[in-house]
Amino acid sequence: MDLKESLLKHLPEEEVRDLLSSIENGKVTHALLLNTKKMSDEEFLSRFPKVRKHPFVEHAYLYEKEDYEFGKNLLYDDGVYSIEDPSAMMVNYFLMPQAGDIVLDICAAPGGKSIGASLEMNDEGLVVANDISYPRAKAMSQNVERMGRGNMIVASTDFVFSHIHFRETFDKIILDAPCSGSAMIRKNDKAEKDWRFEKVKSCAKRQLELLELAYDMLKAGGTLSYSTCSFSFEEDEAVILSFKEAHPEIEIVKLPEDPSFYRLKKLPEAVRLHPNRFEGEGQFIALLKKPGTLIATPKTIVKNERYKQFLADYNLQDRSNEMMRSKFYSLSQHFDITHLNILRYGVKLFEMRQIYIPDHHLSHFLGPEYGFEISYDDCKAYIHGDTFPCNKPDGFYIVSYDKQNLGYVKVVQGVAKNHYPKGLRRTLE
């Protein structure tokens, strides 16, 4: 059974025709989410007037690659925005993470939804961004660092074995489930070659298992977002209906109406974002609410007296500042990570060595008032990994360009020694 045949089993012929035509002939729309801690919407629009506002998501913009190569812009390196599919952004639009929430993104890599939730929460509360694949979690951790997020834990944990330790822990959970990926076909030729109906059925089984794990970790009164980038009924509505049958107590939240949303009568509460109707690659989204009264988790922080002056220098005293495995981290609030395999616990400040060297993440978390502005020529040298002359007294400094922090240098006898991470170095065009 090919994709068209499988879709015709549950969708009207006209909708399947328009959907497949959009996949085959339509144009990919790109989008980004602005980090307003680093740049205002007004300034961004003045610099990039050809972008268009996302129809629903605040601080999000659609653009054409012919107009802007945002992935190659220095502002991307600076963490001014996160690039994400416009339909994937709708998960947080419907879920509405709040400042005090404890949020789990269970299959988070590459991290767009986790970072989006973190931005909506304005560096308060907590987002645990998890991916079972360590390499993918590591790449996600680099995105969190680039964006300078301060309320995120990055983990690579298999919750099959550890969910029991997190029962009713999270206010909101994002489950963007691994799927057959039919919504990725337009921008990824490999996705079309990999699509098989047997894969759809296999994914649906795994998706139900993940839903069970996530529901167990959701607080009473909490909300779970289930999404896929698949158009297959078996991975979308059928999974939710099966889960509802096993848990009749749950509420399937009715999502808002809009002409660009598509729904099936079998599950009218959920939303399909088809690229023939909605500018994006596609997404299925359903919200599930667990019965009960949601009780907020009290905010606790761990004080650190040993590095009191360092914390005061960067105004970090009111955060949870904790030493782990010879690494010093600063997080929005304390969270017990005993049963998590963590890669990042908030902002990494430094590692314990003979001397402590401030970490790149800290430079992106802080504002430009903590750095000093350098010329464009020195900026090019810095991003390339080179040294440049500097008349500051010896010591560590954050350098910035165009009101955005780039990273750290160590000034020694009038020369700025480069501390830009080696894996990020490149030649600016």
Side-chain angles (χ1 to χ4, degrees), residues 29 56 157 199 271 319 324 348 389:
T29 301
F56 298 95
T157 299
K199 185 177 180 181
V271 159
R319 293 170 58 82
M324 296 180 185
K348 185 181 172 187

Side-chain angles (χ1 to χ4, degrees), residues 180-352:
S180 61
S182 46
M184 294 293 101
I185 289 174
R186 186 162 66 173
K187 68 177 185 179
N188 185 352
D189 292 338
K190 188 180 176 184
E192 184 172 14
K193 294 173 185 175
D194 285 349
W195 192 94
R196 304 180 313 280
F197 189 66
E198 291 74 18
K199 185 177 180 181
V200 169
K201 293 188 289 185
S202 174
C203 286
K205 183 171 181 258
R206 177 62 176 147
Q207 288 153 1
L208 266 173
E209 292 168 353
L210 286 168
L211 262 177
E212 288 288 351
L213 294 178
Y215 193 62
D216 193 38
M217 294 186 284
L218 187 67
K219 284 182 183 177
T223 307
L224 191 160
S225 168
Y226 175 81
S227 59
T228 75
C229 53
S230 168
F231 300 125
S232 296
F233 173 84
E234 292 81 2
E235 297 178 87
D236 296 342
E237 291 87 355
V239 168
I240 297 299
L241 291 169
S242 295
F243 191 73
K244 172 69 173 174
E245 188 176 347
H247 298 274
E249 76 280 5
I250 66 166
E251 175 193 354
I252 303 175
V253 180
K254 177 69 183 293
L255 297 178
E257 298 282 349
D258 189 87
S260 64
F261 303 161
Y262 189 78
R263 302 169 192 266
L264 288 186
K265 290 180 181 179
K266 291 180 180 178
L267 191 66
E269 298 91 345
V271 159
R272 285 171 164 257
L273 303 177
H274 287 175
N276 53 306
R277 297 170 178 267
F278 187 95
E279 255 189 298
E281 295 314 289
Q283 198 91 171
F284 170 82
I285 306 171
L287 284 192
L288 307 177
K289 193 170 180 62
K290 200 171 192 175
T293 302
L294 187 63
I295 299 173
T297 302
K299 178 180 178 178
T300 59
I301 63 171
V302 174
K303 292 281 188 181
N304 184 287
E305 296 297 325
R306 183 176 178 184
Y307 300 103
K308 194 172 182 179
Q309 189 56 55
F310 180 92
L311 296 171
D313 288 345
Y314 294 118
N315 197 28
L316 301 170
Q317 310 95 310
D318 296 329
R319 293 170 58 82
S320 196
N321 301 303
E322 306 174 54
M323 188 68 70
M324 296 180 185
R325 304 172 191 161
S326 300
K327 298 174 184 177
F328 195 31
Y329 291 99
S330 180
L331 187 61
S332 46
Q333 63 189 72
H334 173 73
F335 187 79
D336 183 1
I337 57 164
T338 306
H339 300 283
L340 287 178
N341 179 29
I342 70 154
L343 286 76
R344 188 176 298 274
Y345 184 83
V347 182
K348 185 181 172 187
L349 303 180
F350 57 80
E351 289 189 34
M352 287 300 297

Side-chain angles (χ1 to χ4, degrees), residues 15-58:
E15 184 65 22
V16 172
R17 183 194 67 218
D18 292 347
L19 173 57
L20 293 178
S21 175
S22 177
I23 291 172
E24 291 165 12
N25 308 310
K27 190 176 181 180
V28 174
T29 301
H30 304 275
L32 59 82
L33 186 61
L34 190 65
N35 183 350
T36 55
K37 181 181 174 183
K38 292 179 178 282
M39 182 177 287
S40 69
D41 290 273
E42 293 75 17
E43 183 177 353
F44 182 78
L45 286 167
S46 71
R47 293 184 181 214
F48 306 104
K50 292 182 180 179
V51 300
R52 294 173 287 125
K53 288 188 177 182
H54 192 289
F56 298 95
V57 180
E58 195 175 13

Side-chain angles (χ1 to χ4, degrees), residues 349-364:
L349 303 180
F350 57 80
E351 289 189 34
M352 287 300 297
R353 298 179 182 175
Q354 289 181 333
I355 61 169
Y356 55 80
I357 300 172
D359 193 80
H360 183 67
H361 192 170
L362 178 57
S363 70
H364 277 219

Side-chain angles (χ1 to χ4, degrees), residues 130-132 156-163 206 213 339 341:
N130 180 78
D131 202 277
I132 192 171
S156 182
T157 299
D158 187 346
F159 283 109
V160 168
F161 302 103
S162 59
H163 73 282
R206 177 62 176 147
L213 294 178
H339 300 283
N341 179 29

Side-chain angles (χ1 to χ4, degrees), residues 363-383:
S363 70
H364 277 219
F365 172 73
L366 299 170
E369 66 272 17
Y370 288 93
F372 71 89
E373 191 83 1
I374 59 176
S375 69
Y376 181 65
D377 285 343
D378 287 345
C379 170
K380 285 177 67 177
Y382 182 76
I383 296 299

